[in-house]
Amino acid sequence: MEEILKLIKDISLVVAEPFYRKPDFLISTAFSGLGLWLTWLAYKEAERAKEAAEQAAKSVKSQAIAMELQELVQKHDKFEVNIRYTTCRDILAEYNRKIRRLISPYRNEQDLQTIIQQVEQMLDAIRAILDDVRPYSDETDGVSNAVYNAVEGPFAVLNGQIGELIGTFERRTVNPQ
């Protein structure tokens, strides 16, 4: 019986002191608070790192597009005066395919919208011009200077527009949005 009374007395001493006043509770609470604060700091830092990585990826993508456009322009920078219709048609097809593939994701971006529309209109105009000088005889295949005379000016304009597009993409690599 004495043991039971002693146990009851020990229990009443333990219960009499509130749990929040015990040192182990206070220490646990302090460490929990510190853990939450450190978790919040780590989360914020991870958010900043993610944003920086996204900006770097955009910058790299813009630079890659600028380089691809530059390679395309350099490849076909000069037309031969006696360019054949089929050669010009193939060049236009390559321009059309590559340029439209590269610019399509940026069609709705405000700083690119106008120049992209101009480039697309010029590609369509060159297609129409080239159709007007299409040879109807396999013997000539457009060897005369007619093909050159018809497309040289519009291709020069297109190359200028592509140059402006390249400049915009290069500016994005230096100053990502």
Side-chain angles (χ1 to χ4, degrees):
M1 185 66 138
E2 250 181 68
E3 285 184 33
I4 294 176
L5 289 174
K6 186 177 176 189
L7 282 174
I8 292 174
K9 185 178 178 184
D10 289 342
I11 290 173
S12 67
L13 286 175
V14 170
V15 173
E17 184 180 1
F19 71 92
Y20 54 85
R21 288 192 179 166
K22 292 187 177 183
D24 57 340
F25 174 78
L26 295 174
I27 292 171
S28 298
T29 302
F31 278 120
S32 295
L34 179 63
L36 286 173
W37 181 69
L38 290 173
T39 301
W40 181 79
L41 286 177
Y43 171 76
K44 287 310 224 179
E45 191 61 33
E47 269 187 345
R48 283 192 292 270
K50 180 182 174 188
E51 288 174 14
E54 287 172 353
Q55 289 300 326
K58 284 181 184 178
S59 180
V60 168
K61 180 70 175 167
S62 292
Q63 186 64 32
I65 290 171
M67 288 172 56
E68 257 189 271
L69 288 171
Q70 187 66 36
E71 287 173 18
L72 183 65
V73 169
Q74 287 176 350
K75 182 177 179 182
H76 300 295
D77 202 14
K78 296 180 181 168
F79 280 98
E80 295 294 322
V81 173
N82 58 354
I83 189 168
R84 296 174 95 61
Y85 170 82
T86 53
T87 304
C88 191
R89 181 198 59 211
D90 293 344
I91 290 170
L92 178 61
E94 183 181 5
Y95 259 69
N96 198 28
R97 181 179 53 257
K98 286 187 176 182
I99 291 169
R100 289 183 192 268
R101 176 183 58 85
L102 292 170
I103 64 177
S104 66
Y106 302 96
R107 193 171 274 123
N108 295 325
E109 293 196 20
Q110 208 162 14
D111 62 332
L112 295 170
Q113 205 167 26
T114 302
I115 188 65
I116 285 175
Q117 288 172 350
Q118 291 171 348
V119 167
E120 289 174 335
Q121 289 169 356
M122 186 54 67
L123 285 168
D124 294 339
I126 292 172
R127 174 83 252 163
I129 290 167
L130 194 56
D131 285 343
D132 289 343
V133 293
R134 176 184 215 139
Y136 292 101
S137 167
D138 289 338
E139 294 173 14
T140 61
D141 189 31
V143 174
S144 72
N145 294 353
V147 173
Y148 174 81
N149 291 336
V151 299
E152 189 270 332
F155 262 107
V157 171
L158 179 63
N159 281 345
Q161 291 170 336
I162 292 172
E164 187 177 337
L165 201 55
I166 290 169
T168 303
F169 279 113
E170 287 175 343
R171 185 178 68 243
R172 284 179 163 207
T173 63
V174 175
N175 232 353
Q177 296 171 343

